[in-house]
């Protein structure tokens, strides 16, 4: 039996890597970075043997020629390396990855799997800042959060619960941490792939369709489009969501639609799916602690970081036979 020893939820932004000099004077930026460091310390103290990382894809490893709802890396894992994030081979726990994939199939899910999975900052940003040196093997799980139709929030919760059961059924006796990367509220200047209204929209959809093997050719203009975007952050949404994480109960959001989330918190807030799956994996009784929150318009994002502790295991009650 393997055990989940800690959950972590953390927002990501490549602008934190490339544009730090533009926010170094801001208390909010330092508050979030300090929170990441505290989460890193908690993660290191938990001493996981493996880190399951649940995150998104920003069209550098997945493209519109094939877009699964859920994908597990069961072989090589490669970092795309955009914007100062980790590039090249990452250590992978292929045994646990294969076990999780088979268990999910047995449990009624149909995840895609990859023997050579390229992941971008939707996975690697969290690793970069939470697992220094990335010397712990990982199992990457990528959820489609940007190419509609998206898996529902409730389906992502059910996926997380199934992952928790599969980890508990693993016979390797590992200590497993689950990291959720993404969110919170933000709006990216990205069109729906079937609704292009401007030259920038058409350029992006072309990059998303034809970028396999050549995504870097589109990167300069992509970054220009991102940097030109107007920030759209909803701290009230973020505060309410983090409060649910603290209470370990995401029930109030699970039946909200993708359109609901987009309207209130932006298309980037669809990444709360990773947090939902992470919290569900930790199971009933898990409780969260918000370590930092900051609305950072320079990063276009409401930046939150929280740790989630699993429910304490009760010690067996002493009886006359075992006293």
């Amino acid at each position: 039996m393997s055990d989940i020893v800690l959950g972590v939820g953390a927002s990501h932004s490549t602008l934190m890597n490339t544009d730090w000099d533009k926010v170094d004077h801001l208390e909010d930026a330092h508050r979030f970075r300090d929170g990441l460091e505290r989460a890193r310390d908690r993660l290191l103290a938990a001493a996981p043997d493996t880190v399951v990382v649940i995150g998104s894809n920003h069209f550098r490893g997945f493209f519109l020629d094939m877009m699964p709802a859920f994908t597990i890396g069961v072989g090589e894992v490669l970092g795309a390396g955009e914007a100062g994030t980790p590039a090249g081979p990452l250590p992978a726990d292929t045994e646990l990855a294969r076990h999780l994939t088979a268990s999910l199939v047995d449990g009624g899910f149909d995840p895609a799997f990859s023997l050579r999975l390229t992941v971008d900052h939707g996975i690697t940003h969290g690793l970069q800042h939470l697992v220094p040196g990335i010397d712990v093997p990982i199992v990457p799980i990528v959820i489609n959060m940007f190419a509609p139709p998206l898996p529902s929030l409730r389906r992502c919760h059910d996926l997380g619960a199934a992952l928790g059961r599969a980890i508990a059924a693993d016979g390797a006796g590992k200590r497993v941490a689950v990291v959720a990367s993404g969110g919170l509220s933000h709006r990216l200047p990205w069109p729906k792939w079937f609704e292009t209204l401007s030259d920038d929209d058409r350029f992006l959809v072309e990059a998303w369709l034809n970028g396999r093997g050549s995504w870097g050719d589109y990167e300069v203009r992509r970054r220009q489009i991102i940097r030109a975007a107007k920030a759209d952050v909803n701290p009230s949404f973020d505060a309410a969501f983090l409060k649910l994480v603290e209470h370990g109960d995401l029930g109030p959001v699970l039946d909200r639609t993708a359109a609901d989330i987009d309207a209130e918190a932006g298309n980037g807030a669809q990444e709360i799916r990773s947090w939902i799956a992470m919290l569900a994996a930790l199971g009933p009784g898990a409780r969260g602690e918000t370590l930092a929150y900051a609305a950072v318009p320079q990063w276009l994002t409401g930046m939150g970081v929280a740790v989630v502790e699993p429910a304490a295991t009760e010690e067996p009650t002493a009886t006359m036979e075992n006293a």
Side-chain angles (χ1 to χ4, degrees):
M1 176 179 178
S2 293
D3 295 306
I4 297 178
V5 295
L6 191 71
V8 180
S11 302
H12 57 237
S13 172
T14 56
L15 295 173
M16 178 177 169
N17 289 354
T18 60
D19 293 24
W20 179 259
D21 59 324
K22 298 178 182 177
V23 298
D24 193 17
H25 63 289
L26 297 177
E27 182 180 344
D28 281 350
H30 281 271
R31 180 183 303 115
F32 175 72
R33 192 175 68 172
D34 292 347
L36 271 184
E37 292 176 355
R38 292 172 60 199
R40 175 203 64 199
D41 292 345
R42 294 277 289 273
L43 189 57
L44 291 175
D49 300 306
T50 298
V51 178
V52 174
V53 190
I54 306 171
S56 56
N57 152 68
H58 303 81
F59 302 102
R60 296 184 182 93
F62 292 77
F63 301 89
L64 292 177
D65 58 357
M66 182 64 69
M67 185 58 66
F70 307 112
T71 305
I72 302 176
V74 299
E76 296 178 62
V77 181
L78 306 172
E82 81 285 7
T85 55
L90 301 172
D93 188 336
T94 58
E95 291 184 0
L96 181 59
R98 291 196 297 268
H99 166 73
L100 295 181
T101 303
S103 296
L104 288 175
V105 171
D106 289 344
F109 285 84
D110 302 298
F113 66 86
S114 173
L115 273 69
R116 185 176 294 125
L117 181 66
T118 296
V119 293
D120 64 15
H121 70 274
I123 295 289
T124 58
H125 191 276
L127 292 172
Q128 179 180 29
H129 294 281
L130 294 171
V131 189
I134 317 180
D135 55 358
V136 178
I138 68 168
V139 176
I141 300 177
V142 179
I143 299 177
N144 171 27
M145 306 193 207
F146 289 115
L150 310 180
S152 70
L153 301 183
R154 186 168 292 280
R155 185 64 169 169
C156 293
H157 179 275
D158 293 345
L159 175 82
L163 286 171
R165 292 191 295 270
I167 291 170
D170 176 48
K174 293 176 180 176
R175 296 172 60 84
V176 179
V178 183
V179 170
S181 183
L184 298 170
S185 67
H186 62 294
R187 187 174 301 280
L188 298 172
W190 286 5
K192 295 180 174 63
W193 58 265
F194 49 83
E195 189 176 80
T196 55
L197 303 177
S198 68
D199 288 342
D200 282 347
D201 289 351
R202 287 183 282 274
F203 168 81
L204 288 171
V205 172
E206 178 187 347
W208 300 343
L209 177 60
N210 300 321
R212 189 178 300 279
S214 61
W215 63 264
D217 295 345
Y218 299 92
E219 194 70 358
V220 171
R221 185 170 172 184
R222 273 181 57 131
R223 301 290 291 179
Q224 290 172 342
I225 293 170
I226 290 291
R227 284 193 169 98
K230 182 180 179 181
D232 183 7
V233 179
N234 185 341
S236 296
F237 172 90
D238 297 340
F241 183 76
L242 288 169
K243 187 61 67 176
L244 295 177
V245 172
E246 291 171 3
H247 290 305
D249 178 14
L250 294 174
V253 303
L254 295 184
D255 290 322
R256 302 195 65 185
T257 66
D260 293 336
I261 299 300
D262 191 319
E264 183 174 0
N267 56 357
Q270 306 294 356
E271 290 177 323
I272 63 172
R273 285 166 171 76
S274 61
W275 292 60
I276 288 170
M278 175 271 291
L279 191 64
L282 269 77
R287 293 292 182 271
E289 176 187 357
T290 299
L291 299 183
Y293 174 77
V296 186
Q298 291 84 352
W299 297 340
L300 307 179
T301 305
M303 306 292 291
V305 58
V307 294
V308 181
E309 296 280 356
T313 301
E314 294 184 4
E315 296 293 332
T317 303
T319 66
M320 292 297 292
E321 294 181 359
N322 60 25

